[in-house]
Amino acid sequence: MAYKVLVCDDAAFHRATACDVLKKNGYLVAAEADNGQAAADLYAKEQPDLVLLDITMPVMDGVTALKKILAMDKTAVVVMLAAMGQDSYVNECLALGAKGFIVKPIRPDRMLETLKKILP
């Protein structure tokens, strides 16, 4: 069974890149979102196995979305998508319960390596 993934990034390019890598490697992209509020809403609806969540977005940032998702489901598996220089946000997200992070721009090999460490 393929893992269901919710991909959330306000940059269409990064969303498309992540979705392409996931699909080519046997993951099922259940939904895409371009802001944190949409991600939280879609999480409740889709109940994905994994969320890839950007940190800096309009409407609701990734840190707040992470908190909302974990409030709904404390076992949610969330991996943050982070630009270089966002170390303090990444550390905050990991402390809150994110399972890992992927540095953008996304490198397929590193993304897959991170996901293999997190998902059974």
Side-chain angles (χ1 to χ4, degrees):
M1 182 179 115
Y3 289 107
K4 282 176 50 175
V5 184
L6 165 59
V7 178
C8 181
D9 196 309
D10 61 318
F13 172 78
H14 292 301
R15 265 197 333 273
T17 300
C19 289
D20 185 54
V21 172
L22 291 166
K23 289 174 185 174
K24 286 181 178 175
N25 288 279
Y27 295 85
L28 171 66
V29 176
E32 295 180 42
D34 62 2
N35 67 72
Q37 182 62 56
D41 294 344
L42 284 166
Y43 185 86
K45 179 181 174 192
E46 297 292 336
Q47 296 292 301
D49 301 305
L50 169 70
V51 179
L52 295 182
L53 185 61
D54 187 20
I55 292 175
T56 306
M57 295 179 289
V59 183
M60 179 188 291
D61 65 44
V63 177
T64 305
L66 172 65
K67 291 175 185 175
K68 283 190 82 162
I69 290 169
L70 290 174
M72 281 186 262
D73 178 3
K74 66 181 183 196
T75 66
V77 178
V78 181
V79 174
M80 305 309 293
L81 298 174
M84 294 296 258
Q86 292 185 315
D87 296 348
S88 64
Y89 291 115
V90 168
N91 290 333
E92 179 182 359
C93 292
L94 292 172
L96 288 168
K99 304 299 184 203
F101 67 95
I102 296 167
V103 176
K104 297 190 297 185
I106 294 169
R107 288 188 37 199
D109 57 334
R110 288 199 178 164
M111 178 177 153
L112 294 170
E113 182 180 312
T114 298
L115 297 183
K116 285 178 185 169
K117 288 179 186 175
I118 294 168
L119 296 169

